Amino acid sequence: MGVASTTDQDTRSTFSNYGSAIVWVAAPGEAIVSTYPYNTYAAGWGTSFSAPFVSGGAALLHSLQTTIAQSGAATATAHAVPLTDPVWATDAWICV
């Protein structure tokens, strides 16, 4: 699954790939605060910082629909398809 990086204004980062053949989903990837050597924190840029947001979205999708097929997961992730959660009896959206 290709992941693009977005800015804090929700636009594509200038360094990020794009296009439907490559990218399925986009997530924040600029100035993401993370741990850094010597017990400090620093901001980082890149799709490597976007990918954990997408992984979290995939984990949420799996928790809501444990029997979803790969094709259904791909569609939900790529197109933010609304999913009905019978446990919560409400609609949930997968958006990252």
Side-chain angles (χ1 to χ4, degrees):
M1 173 185 305
V3 177
S5 170
T6 61
T7 68
D8 62 346
Q9 300 297 311
D10 203 27
T11 60
R12 183 178 55 87
S13 300
T14 58
F15 56 79
S16 184
N17 281 328
Y18 61 94
S20 61
I22 301 170
V23 173
W24 287 15
V25 66
E30 293 190 17
I32 305 300
V33 177
S34 183
T35 56
Y36 199 71
Y38 307 108
N39 296 322
T40 61
Y41 297 90
W45 281 254
T47 54
S48 294
F49 290 90
S50 304
F53 290 106
V54 175
S55 297
L60 176 61
L61 170 62
H62 185 270
S63 74
L64 294 173
Q65 299 266 330
T66 57
T67 60
I68 194 167
Q70 182 179 357
S71 61
T75 300
T77 302
H79 301 290
V81 174
L83 302 173
T84 301
D85 180 3
V87 174
W88 295 339
T90 184
D91 287 339
W93 287 82
I94 294 297
C95 297
V96 289

